[in-house]
Amino acid sequence: MPAGEVAVMNHGANPPRPSINPVGFMTNGRMDGNKLRGYYEQNYTLRLGNMQRVVPFLNGVSRSIQRETGYSNYVHAFLTPPGGQGLRHHWDQQMAVIVQISGTKTWELWEPKFKDPMRLHLESPRVWQEHWREEWEAKGSDQTYELRPGQSLLLPRGWIHNPHARGATEGSVHLTFAIRERTPFWLVEKLTAGAIEGEEFRRVILPDQIQGDGLSGELEGARWALIRYLERLNPEEISSVIRDDALTELEYTT
């Protein structure tokens, strides 16, 4: 695994464990398996990111999901020691399919606090308030599942989850398939991407127009230029291009 794809975490420890040096499992800039194993033995969870980039079989699974659904995706592996917990309460901005490989892991779930979070919009770290965790724990989970080897859990985006192996007697290994669902906003991004071809969208806006009274006029001009550009587009003609993007693009970040 490339060292940059590895994370070591123990956010759910009680009492809390100290933060680790983010490169503490490396030697000369490369991942050191012995150091990584040492963290695992100290009850830290290991996350191996973007497995579809380094494991041919998982690459095939990931690409098959995209060919069938039009949704790009990535695969993370989580190795949690018995009694351990890597991440605490949070939500994700994409749908996830959790596949338990070995051991057991408990998933405590709460209904979404915000409807349909997305990239750069209502992401968990951006809007987080610490008192929410205390409220969720006091209330108790809305749903709880204990995944065993061979079982899967579909986790819709926005659902709060608190995964742990606190009651387990053996280590847990699971895969998370993070699946980027397409949305109308994704279509908007695709529709407007071609505007860069128009000279009116590439001309320079001078500093005094940005800082002075002329900015509102520039905005109005850009708005009408965009409207004219969109009106010239033929959805039937560009749908095949956008469909091909959905099936082939390798943009896994959401």
Side-chain angles (χ1 to χ4, degrees):
M1 286 295 300
E5 296 285 11
V6 178
V8 178
M9 59 193 75
N10 196 335
H11 298 172
N14 189 15
R17 302 294 300 275
S19 299
I20 70 161
N21 181 344
V23 296
F25 52 83
M26 300 184 196
T27 297
N28 296 325
R30 304 191 65 173
M31 187 175 71
D32 187 316
N34 289 327
K35 290 182 178 179
L36 205 59
R37 188 183 305 276
Y39 281 116
Y40 182 86
E41 292 173 349
Q42 295 176 57
N43 212 33
Y44 285 88
T45 289
L46 312 182
R47 189 213 70 195
L48 309 180
N50 283 302
M51 297 291 285
Q52 81 285 351
R53 295 178 180 171
V54 294
V55 179
F57 172 76
L58 290 178
N59 179 269
V61 173
S62 176
R63 296 305 298 273
S64 294
I65 291 172
Q66 186 168 2
R67 284 193 297 267
E68 181 175 339
T69 64
Y71 297 165
S72 59
N73 59 93
Y74 58 87
V75 190
H76 285 354
F78 290 82
L79 290 70
T80 301
Q85 179 172 9
L87 295 171
R88 296 184 70 185
H89 307 69
H90 67 284
W91 65 84
D92 299 316
Q93 64 275 8
Q94 67 275 320
M95 176 175 66
V97 176
I98 313 300
V99 181
Q100 192 69 24
I101 304 298
S102 63
T104 62
K105 198 156 200 179
T106 300
W107 290 79
E108 299 174 338
L109 309 180
W110 289 261
E111 292 188 5
K113 194 165 190 68
F114 300 101
K115 183 175 176 57
D116 298 331
M118 290 181 59
R119 172 186 55 179
L120 304 181
H121 180 70
L122 298 176
E123 292 172 303
S124 184
R126 293 175 182 270
V127 299
W128 184 261
Q129 297 185 35
E130 189 60 32
H131 66 87
W132 291 342
R133 179 176 286 122
E134 298 176 358
E135 295 170 1
W136 292 325
E137 291 180 341
K139 171 190 173 186
S141 61
D142 294 325
Q143 300 179 33
T144 300
Y145 299 97
E146 184 178 278
L147 291 190
R148 300 182 181 277
Q151 293 183 321
S152 300
L153 173 67
L154 175 63
L155 189 61
R157 60 187 164 122
W159 274 71
I160 299 114
H161 46 286
N162 182 44
H164 61 80
R166 293 198 299 261
T169 57
E170 59 178 310
S172 164
V173 177
H174 81 264
L175 300 178
T176 293
F177 289 83
I179 300 175
R180 184 187 181 192
E181 301 160 291
R182 307 304 185 187
T183 64
F185 190 76
W186 178 78
L187 292 180
V188 169
E189 292 177 320
K190 294 297 180 182
L191 286 171
T192 57
I196 192 68
E197 299 292 339
E199 293 183 7
E200 68 270 32
F201 293 104
R202 303 199 308 270
R203 64 178 179 80
V204 174
I205 299 176
L206 297 176
D208 62 348
Q209 294 170 299
I210 294 175
Q211 299 182 16
D213 297 332
L215 183 57
S216 61
E218 287 290 336
L219 287 169
E220 182 70 3
R223 183 172 74 93
W224 280 109
L226 181 60
I227 290 172
R228 290 192 296 271
Y229 166 77
L230 292 174
E231 286 177 339
R232 292 194 298 268
L233 293 180
N234 185 330
E236 293 296 327
E237 292 179 357
I238 64 175
S239 61
S240 60
V241 175
I242 294 179
R243 183 179 297 111
D244 184 66
D245 286 345
L247 298 177
T248 60
E249 68 178 6
L250 299 180
E251 203 283 296
Y252 295 103
T253 303
T254 55

